[in-house]
Amino acid sequence: MTAGQIAAPSYLGFQGEELWWIEPRPQEDGRSALMRKRRADAAAETVLPEPWNIRSRVIEYGGRPWATAAAEHGMLVVFANFPDQRLYLYRPDTEGAVPQPLTPVSPVGGGLRWAEPELDLARGTVRCVLEEFTGEGPSDVRRLIAEVPLDGSAAEDRGAVRELSGDRHRFVSGARISPDGSRAVWLAWDHPHMPWDAAELKVAEVGDDGRLRHARTLLGGPGDPVAQAEWAVDGTLLAACERTGWWNLHRVDPETGATRPLHRAAEEFAGSQRLGLRWFAPLADGRIAVLHGRGAQHLAVLDPADESLVDVPGDRTEWLPHLAVSGSRIAGVAAGRETSYEVVEVDAGALTTGAAGQSTTETAGHLTLRVAGHRHQVSVDAAYLPEPVARVFKGPDGQEVHAHLYAPRHPDHTTGPSPDDGPAPYVVWAHGGPSLRAPLSLNLEIAYFTSRGIGVADVNYGGTPGYGREYRERLRERWGVVDVADCAAVARELVDEGVADRARLAIRGGSAGGFTAAESLITTDVYACATMLYPVLDLEVLAAGGSHDFESHYLESLIGPNSGESAARYRDRSPAAHPERITAPFLLLQGSDDPVCPPAQSRVFLAGASAVPHAYRLFEGEGHGFRRRDTMVAALEAELSFYGQVFGFTPPDVPVLDLSTAGGSR
């Protein structure tokens, strides 16, 4: 349900002076490419050609899939290959080298999967999170921290993989080893909880054989989650905890678990954790590179010595949790109001603190935030790009509802509805997750519609992370109620303001957002139509094991226990149980290989809603979230044609979507 919303670089890391990252390639059948930048003034290189796809399937959403180390005869790279999920070793500086498998293929269930690799050349191994299926069901699985030899001896022998931790916990993150090598910390959590509700910080001694011994919980657990933990260069243990009601950074005593806030503030220094996300990273001089903010997060440097926080200047409005550091260098993934997500870098050595704990104009002037990779390359005239505006609306019972508005913007009026016709048509976007957040930055999918006269309201409804625990907890056991009501409140207020046309409102969402869109058609009369991408439609099926293991108990927090008084909610809030209540047209876009929201849910829903004008597109080979360029183009064109038919205009140069039948597949 937490399908990504954007194609952006991810999983950055330094190896000496070199910067590495994962880059999406929609034009190459949706693969993820591993990139390498050897020097600051060098061009980025693609490490491996097609069809190598550097991507992990652990917990289906993956995690960091690569690791590098400088060896005697050049760089070593270990990576997870998406098609077979094996770990491979590659020597990119050796002429004629080809990747060599390090792990075997298992015929059981989803096989063996790997994430968060860390190379240990002294031991000749790579340490990873191992996900091992023990049966054919999606929940027949165990996860633990394991060690794979680099000599290839485990390529055909599962027995050569050494298990470093037990599998007492259902989920684990990658281990972080202390600077002196004596201790390891990692996160762990268990069903029915999600990590942002209950992740605990484990600590263990590292034995001479690499095994993690005498593991114990240092802090965290249900109601007191930990989002990230790192060792500083001096051996200090740092963690992002939610003890203040916000994700704040703390210094942690590795013996007792006692914590001390490093910068107490009513804003977020972390977020909803999955494998491989990194909101903060200790610098060599003792300071910490951090992302922080309410809603949108920004890059800053925190000095634990005096708890001062200095923002890195620039026009980037959003940063993703993929920080990497080397010395005083900080690299991250950031976007602005006029630029999509790029790999950017700054040298924090020039950043000093002013008298009030903020960067002064003079010190800020020494900083240059430069693009290191995945450079924004859009040939669209800026006159067609929308200007996102952050707004706070009044929701049910006076609650705040956060949203970003993108008004229609086009220099001529020949491509869509004209503003001379009165208020514009608007599409309310409901983000996925529901633990994700709509970013405040340029989104070219949104620009596709705003440049054609259709406004977009991207709603961070109650339950969205980034606004404190209280805001996030609004959705507990009320999914399908709070999200629907908040989106409707934004739509109604836009109509009342004269911004949006009451007769030309739509709602659109993917994954969990697709559920919100479907439920909105069933329970409100606000919208003229809806677009649902790979949506959640049948809560009863999901609760009965119809999805993957990571989210198999997620509904217990979103809906309630599937027993007793709350059991009836599963059917009451399932769009697939009430498709006959839909009276407005809809478009449903689905991937054929979706393990999170399987196509079977869509088929059941479509059978019951056959009397309503609708279209269905099934994209072969796509999973949960579209990755291929031709799919993305076809989906956007279908959606625009759909709105044109419902809103009463004819978009040029777009295939006409057939609303008279159930559609077809691609």
Side-chain angles (χ1 to χ4, degrees):
M1 294 188 291
T2 52
Q5 299 166 294
I6 50 174
S10 59
Y11 303 121
L12 277 61
F14 281 102
Q15 178 56 54
E17 293 297 308
E18 297 189 6
L19 178 61
W20 295 61
W21 68 88
I22 293 293
E23 185 166 288
R25 294 285 178 84
Q27 72 277 18
E28 296 178 8
D29 208 25
R31 81 179 183 108
S32 296
L34 182 59
M35 305 299 295
R36 177 186 190 183
K37 191 177 179 70
R38 297 174 188 257
R39 301 183 313 277
D41 59 349
E45 308 169 16
T46 302
V47 177
L48 285 163
E50 293 184 80
W52 294 101
N53 190 351
I54 319 304
R55 180 177 157 210
S56 169
R57 282 191 63 184
V58 170
I59 70 169
E60 293 302 345
Y61 296 117
R64 181 171 49 81
W66 65 271
T68 61
E72 182 179 354
H73 299 293
M75 199 71 72
L76 293 182
V77 182
V78 170
F79 65 89
N81 184 44
F82 184 72
D84 59 14
Q85 286 299 290
R86 300 176 84 179
L87 278 182
Y88 286 81
L89 175 68
Y90 179 54
R91 300 177 183 272
D93 299 329
T94 300
E95 185 176 356
V98 296
Q100 299 297 316
L102 295 179
T103 58
V105 174
S106 169
V108 180
L112 300 173
R113 302 174 180 180
W114 312 86
E116 304 294 288
E118 293 287 347
L119 283 159
D120 186 339
L121 297 186
R123 293 179 50 77
T125 62
V126 57
R127 185 177 58 254
C128 309
V129 172
L130 163 62
E131 180 176 79
E132 180 174 24
F133 280 79
T134 58
E136 297 304 316
S139 292
D140 296 331
V141 65
R142 61 196 292 261
R143 299 178 185 88
L144 51 105
I145 299 168
E147 184 180 69
V148 177
L150 295 176
D151 61 8
S153 58
E156 304 296 336
D157 180 10
R158 167 63 180 86
V161 175
R162 299 180 66 244
E163 299 185 2
L164 303 182
S165 72
D167 59 358
R168 183 172 68 85
H169 291 285
R170 189 69 168 189
F171 301 95
V172 294
S173 72
R176 297 283 189 266
I177 307 299
S178 61
D180 64 5
S182 66
R183 288 174 170 164
V185 293
W186 66 95
L187 302 184
W189 66 97
D190 295 286
H191 287 321
H193 303 292
M194 300 304 288
W196 47 86
D197 294 322
E200 55 190 70
L201 180 59
K202 310 291 290 189
V203 64
E205 299 172 7
V206 180
D208 293 339
D209 59 357
R211 296 187 188 276
L212 308 180
R213 305 182 185 279
H214 311 299
R216 58 190 174 88
T217 298
L218 194 57
L219 72 154
D224 184 27
V226 179
Q228 182 189 342
E230 303 284 347
W231 298 97
V233 292
D234 63 356
T236 299
L237 180 58
L238 308 171
C241 311
E242 207 182 26
R243 295 185 162 185
T244 63
W246 299 82
W247 293 109
N248 283 185
L249 292 190
H250 295 71
R251 178 179 282 113
V252 182
D253 186 319
E255 295 293 340
T256 66
T259 64
R260 183 176 71 81
L262 293 182
H263 185 90
R264 190 187 296 268
E267 58 182 10
E268 307 282 36
F269 286 74
S272 296
Q273 177 62 284
R274 295 193 302 278
L275 298 185
L277 303 186
R278 203 177 191 201
W279 289 268
F280 71 91
L283 293 163
D285 62 6
R287 295 180 298 166
I288 309 168
V290 299
L291 301 182
H292 74 105
R294 284 195 179 199
Q297 291 184 309
H298 311 279
L299 178 63
V301 174
L302 173 63
D303 190 342
D306 58 9
E307 301 186 13
S308 61
L309 184 69
V310 182
D311 282 320
V312 171
D315 59 357
R316 305 296 166 140
T317 55
E318 285 279 357
W319 290 73
L320 298 181
H322 292 292
L323 291 183
V325 298
S326 177
S328 61
R329 294 168 66 191
I330 306 171
V333 179
R337 284 179 165 85
E338 297 182 356
T339 55
S340 54
Y341 284 96
E342 301 173 308
V343 176
V344 296
E345 185 180 339
V346 65
D347 190 336
L351 187 65
T352 58
T353 304
Q358 298 295 320
S359 59
T360 65
T361 302
E362 290 76 21
T363 56
H366 291 100
L367 284 174
T368 301
L369 189 68
R370 61 182 185 80
V371 178
H374 197 71
R375 183 176 294 275
H376 174 75
Q377 294 179 335
V378 176
S379 57
V380 178
D381 189 322
Y384 289 89
L385 298 179
E387 298 178 352
V389 177
R391 286 277 306 274
V392 178
F393 293 83
K394 182 178 291 186
D397 303 322
Q399 296 269 16
E400 288 186 347
V401 179
H402 298 272
H404 304 145
L405 292 191
Y406 299 80
R409 191 181 186 198
H410 47 96
D412 61 65
H413 309 313
T414 62
T415 58
S418 169
D420 298 334
D421 297 336
Y426 259 79
V427 181
V428 172
W429 281 33
H431 63 70
S435 57
L436 297 178
R437 180 179 57 81
L440 181 67
S441 61
L442 174 64
N443 183 319
L444 293 179
E445 285 191 348
I446 289 177
Y448 180 78
F449 296 106
T450 57
S451 64
R452 289 159 173 82
I454 301 173
V456 171
D458 209 357
V459 182
N460 282 319
Y461 48 81
T464 301
Y467 304 95
R469 178 188 289 175
E470 183 177 349
Y471 194 81
R472 194 181 78 238
E473 290 288 313
R474 284 186 57 211
L475 203 62
R476 183 167 293 278
E477 298 194 3
R478 300 189 70 202
W479 189 36
V481 178
V482 167
D483 49 326
V484 170
D486 284 0
C487 287
V490 172
R492 290 188 179 106
E493 191 165 335
L494 291 176
V495 170
D496 291 343
E497 293 174 357
V499 172
D501 184 349
R502 173 68 181 84
R504 295 186 296 173
L505 290 174
I507 186 166
R508 180 242 215 211
S511 192
F515 166 82
T516 301
E519 195 70 356
S520 294
L521 286 194
I522 290 172
T523 61
T524 78
D525 61 356
V526 173
Y527 308 102
C529 61
T531 298
M532 296 164 265
L533 299 90
Y534 34 89
V536 176
L537 293 171
D538 195 326
L539 303 181
E540 291 181 300
V541 168
L542 289 181
S547 185
H548 60 133
D549 187 60
F550 175 62
E551 293 177 333
S552 61
H553 291 261
Y554 194 6
L555 295 181
E556 294 187 33
S557 62
L558 294 174
I559 305 297
N562 192 13
S563 61
E565 296 180 1
S566 62
R569 298 175 194 160
Y570 283 75
R571 182 168 183 80
D572 290 344
R573 299 187 199 167
S574 288
H578 311 289
E580 73 284 352
R581 298 181 187 174
I582 293 181
T583 58
F586 66 86
L587 169 63
L588 202 163
L589 306 171
Q590 176 75 55
S592 66
D593 299 341
D594 190 340
V596 180
C597 298
Q601 290 190 51
S602 295
R603 290 193 290 268
V604 172
F605 178 78
L606 289 164
S610 58
V612 180
H614 66 278
Y616 174 54
R617 297 293 301 272
L618 180 69
F619 295 96
E620 293 294 338
E622 289 284 10
H624 196 61
F626 301 149
R627 293 177 174 270
R628 298 171 177 169
R629 173 183 282 177
D630 60 344
T631 301
M632 296 175 182
V633 171
L636 285 172
E637 290 182 342
E639 189 173 353
L640 180 60
S641 176
F642 175 62
Y643 295 144
Q645 294 180 58
V646 175
F647 294 157
F649 69 94
T650 302
D653 304 320
V654 172
V656 177
L657 183 72
D658 185 2
L659 286 178
S660 64
T661 70
S665 62
R666 180 180 175 86

